Amino acid sequence: MSMEVVRAACHFCHGNCGVLVYVEDGRIVRVEGDRENPFSKGYICERAEHAVRWLYHPQQLKHPLKRVGERGENKWKQVTWKEALDEIAEKLKELKEKYGPECLAFCEGTYRSDQVWARARFASLFGNPQNVVDPGTICFCCDRAVDKAICGYPLNFTAELDKSNCVVLWGTRPTVEREYDHSWRLFEERLIKDKPKPKLIVIDPRFTEEARYADFWLKIRPGTDAALALAWINVIIEEELYDKDFVEKWCYGFDELQKHIKKYTPSWASKLTWIPEEDIVESA
Ligand code: SF4
C-alpha cells in the first residue's frame, strides 16, 4: 500500500484554496486544507471536504441519460452521446424554426460572460447570444455596479483588504458571504496579530462575527444607510479630513458637493440612523 500526498488547488469555486490530496494506490482517499498555502492557510469549505465522496459517488453522471417515465418519476435509460446529441439537435432545430432563436435561454451558475467559450459559441451559432441568466444578480452584480460607479472598475476581487489600514464592512459579511475571498482571512490575521492593529468599522444592525474586532460597530437602523453616508461626507469635508491633492487632481464637482452636504449634519443623521452623533463623527 502506498500513500502519496499531492499539493493542489480546489477548483470548485474561484477561491482556489490550497489543498493536500491523499492518494492511496492511485485512489484519492482524503482532501484537506494546505496550511502552507499563503492565501487560504489551511482553510477549505464543505465542498472540498466532500470532494472524495462526490468524485466516487455511484450516482456520478458519466454518460447521457434519457427520461423514460413521467417527470419526477426518476426513470431513465442510458443512451449514447450520438443519440443524445442528435435528439437534442433535432428538438432545438424544430423550436428555432417554429419560434425563432430567442426561444432558448441559457441558465448557468456564476455568470462567466463569454469566457465560457462553449456556451458562447453555441449561443452565437444558434442566433441568440443574449438570453443568458445566472444568480449573479443577487450574488455580486450589485456590489460590482457600486464599484463601477465609484471607481470605474469592479473591485471586489482586487481590493487588498490585507494591506489596508482601515476597512469598512458595510452591508457585507466576508466570513459567511465570501468564504472564498482570502483577503479577509489575511486581514483578520492582522487584526489579531498586528500592533497597532488596522482599523475596522462594521455597519450592521446585528452584532456579527466581524464586529468582534471592530473599533466601531455602528448599529444602524435598517434603511437609513444613505443618511450615515451623507453625514460621513459632511464630517470629512467640514473637518478637512480628505486628501486635498487627490481631490484637486481627480474630482469634478467637489465645490457643489461641499455646498450640498452642509445640511446633512451628524445630528441630523443621528436622529434617522439611531447611531449616537459622537460615533458618527469619530468613525468618519
Ligand atoms: S471556498 Fe470551498 S469550493 Fe471554493 S476553492 Fe475554497 S474549498 Fe474550494
Side-chain angles (χ1 to χ4, degrees):
M1 193 182 295
S2 71
M3 177 76 89
E4 195 191 349
V5 182
V6 181
R7 184 157 268 148
C10 172
H11 281 256
F12 274 125
C13 85
H14 21 256
N16 299 144
C17 299
V19 289
L20 298 175
V21 182
Y22 290 76
V23 186
E24 194 177 292
D25 294 332
R27 192 179 165 88
I28 297 173
V29 289
R30 197 167 86 232
V31 174
E32 63 179 37
D34 180 358
R35 286 176 196 281
E36 286 175 33
N37 183 288
F39 297 109
S40 52
K41 294 186 178 267
Y43 171 84
I44 49 168
C45 75
E46 291 81 357
R47 275 174 288 188
E49 276 168 18
H50 293 291
V52 183
R53 281 180 56 204
W54 177 82
L55 183 64
Y56 297 123
H57 196 281
Q59 286 178 333
Q60 173 81 267
L61 199 54
K62 294 179 183 149
H63 37 68
L65 293 176
K66 183 176 173 180
R67 177 164 59 82
V68 287
E70 290 301 312
R71 269 181 204 274
E73 267 193 305
N74 201 19
K75 288 189 183 153
W76 309 88
K77 80 166 182 188
Q78 190 177 330
V79 293
T80 64
W81 281 104
K82 180 160 177 14
E83 283 169 324
L85 290 171
D86 283 352
E87 191 172 328
I88 292 168
E90 195 51 45
K91 279 216 170 113
L92 286 175
K93 217 170 113 200
E94 222 177 278
L95 287 168
K96 187 175 167 179
E97 276 163 15
K98 208 163 164 190
Y99 303 108
E102 291 80 13
C103 70
L104 188 66
F106 300 85
C107 304
E108 57 194 40
T110 319
Y111 178 50
R112 302 268 185 238
S113 72
D114 287 348
Q115 290 161 16
V116 182
W117 65 268
R119 189 265 301 140
R121 182 102 181 95
F122 174 69
S124 293
L125 288 171
F126 195 73
N128 174 18
Q130 312 296 344
N131 275 354
V132 184
V133 291
D134 75 292
T137 35
I138 52 165
C139 172
F140 61 85
C141 288
C142 36
D143 60 75
R144 288 205 165 185
V146 173
D147 283 349
K148 276 195 167 180
I150 297 174
C151 305
Y153 189 76
L155 296 174
N156 48 352
F157 292 113
T158 46
E160 295 181 308
L161 291 191
D162 53 311
K163 295 193 180 69
S164 305
N165 288 328
C166 179
V167 167
V168 179
L169 296 180
W170 197 328
T172 184
R173 291 205 51 207
T175 55
V176 289
E177 293 158 11
R178 304 168 68 86
E179 54 187 11
Y180 53 82
D181 184 349
H182 301 306
S183 57
W184 167 258
R185 208 160 295 119
L186 301 182
F187 184 67
E188 192 178 23
E189 218 172 73
R190 286 183 54 210
L191 287 169
I192 296 165
K193 289 188 189 152
D194 281 13
K195 285 196 177 60
K197 76 176 185 68
K199 294 255 181 294
L200 177 66
I201 302 173
V202 173
I203 301 166
D204 202 309
R206 303 155 305 166
F207 185 78
T208 58
E209 198 181 321
E210 295 82 351
R212 286 183 305 152
Y213 303 111
D215 298 274
F216 287 97
W217 166 41
L218 303 180
K219 265 182 286 179
I220 194 161
R221 182 162 72 99
T224 64
D225 301 62
L228 176 62
L230 288 166
W232 265 7
I233 299 172
N234 175 296
V235 177
I236 289 167
I237 292 182
E238 291 293 311
E239 297 193 11
E240 300 188 13
L241 304 172
Y242 56 92
D243 181 339
K244 289 185 185 137
D245 290 342
F246 184 90
V247 168
E248 187 71 28
K249 201 166 165 196
W250 298 106
C251 297
Y252 296 97
F254 187 77
D255 295 342
E256 285 103 279
L257 176 67
Q258 205 162 14
K259 281 183 221 138
H260 175 76
I261 210 71
K262 278 205 177 301
K263 60 182 179 231
Y264 300 115
T265 60
S267 85
W268 164 82
S270 177
K271 290 184 195 91
L272 290 169
T273 59
W274 299 348
I275 299 171
E277 188 180 332
E278 56 276 19
D279 284 355
I280 297 177
V281 175
E282 226 183 306
S283 56

